[in-house]
Amino acid sequence: MTDSIRVLVLHGPNLNLLGTREPEIYGSQTLQEINDLLAASAKEEGVELEFFQSNHEGAVVDRVQEAPSWADGILINPAALTHTSVALRDALAATQLPVVEVHLSNVFAREDFRTHSYITPIAVGMVTGFGPTSYLLGLEALIETLQSRK
Ligand code: CA2
C-alpha cells in the first residue's frame, strides 16, 4: 500500500474571527466548520490533514519551516499576509513543497492593495472568491498536483 498524501492547512491572521464578524464579506461559517468540511473531503480521498491558524507572522513562518518533515503539500489562506509578507513567501518557497493559495473573498473585486499577492508567484495556483468552496477546490487541486507528481 502506498503512503497517504499529507496536507498542511494554514490559516493566517484574523481568520479565527470567521463567523463572528463581517459575514457579508467572509460568510457565516466558522473556521472550525471550514476545517470540518476539509476533513470530510480529505477523508473521502484518503488524505491526511493538519490544521494551523495564527495571528502572528512569525508563528506562521515557524509552522511553514516545520512542514517538510510531515507534509507533502500546503494549502494556505495567508489572509492579510498575502499582501505584506516577503518572509512568508520565502518560507513557503524554501519548503519546495507545492503550495495552493486560497481566499474566501474575490481579492480582485476589492481594494487595490488586495490585488497584489506575494504568495501567488511561488504557488501552484490560487482560488479566490468562492467562500469555503475556495478551500475545497484548492484542496482538490493540490491533491491532483501531488498525485501527478508521485
Ligand atoms: O478573502 C480572504 O480569504 C482573505 O484572505 C481574507 C483576509 C484579507 O486580508 C485578504 O485580503 C483576503 C482577511 C481575513 C480576516 O478575516 C476576518 C474574518 C471575520 C471577521 C473579520 C476578519
Side-chain angles (χ1 to χ4, degrees):
M1 206 176 95
T2 53
D3 286 344
S4 59
I5 286 173
R6 295 163 165 180
V7 172
L8 176 62
V9 180
L10 293 175
H11 308 282
N14 296 309
L15 287 166
N16 57 311
L17 296 177
L18 282 173
T20 66
R21 287 177 222 168
E22 300 193 77
E24 64 289 351
I25 301 176
Y26 298 118
S28 54
Q29 278 177 294
T30 64
L31 193 60
Q32 186 58 55
E33 287 168 343
I34 290 174
N35 286 345
D36 290 347
L37 283 174
L38 287 169
S41 171
K43 196 174 171 191
E44 276 184 26
E45 307 255 11
V47 169
E48 291 181 61
L49 300 184
E50 268 195 8
F51 300 97
F52 182 78
Q53 188 276 331
S54 179
N55 295 326
H56 305 277
E57 180 177 13
V60 180
V61 169
D62 284 344
R63 190 66 192 83
V64 167
Q65 286 187 9
E66 290 164 12
S69 66
W70 181 80
D72 300 304
I74 298 175
L75 181 72
I76 184 167
N77 182 346
L81 299 175
T82 308
H83 319 297
T84 62
S85 183
V86 177
L88 177 57
R89 174 205 177 114
D90 288 347
L92 288 166
T95 64
Q96 298 193 320
L97 298 174
V99 172
V100 172
E101 175 185 353
V102 300
H103 298 283
L104 294 158
S105 63
N106 178 354
V107 289
F108 299 105
R110 300 183 63 194
E111 301 93 330
D112 275 356
F113 69 84
R114 293 188 206 274
T115 64
H116 177 261
S117 168
Y118 281 104
I119 309 305
T120 314
I122 58 89
V124 179
M126 188 250 250
V127 185
T128 190
F130 298 101
T133 302
S134 292
Y135 281 91
L136 292 168
L137 293 171
L139 178 63
E140 200 180 312
L142 181 55
I143 292 169
E144 225 175 87
T145 300
L146 289 165
Q147 283 168 341
S148 71
R149 289 184 186 186
K150 275 209 166 175

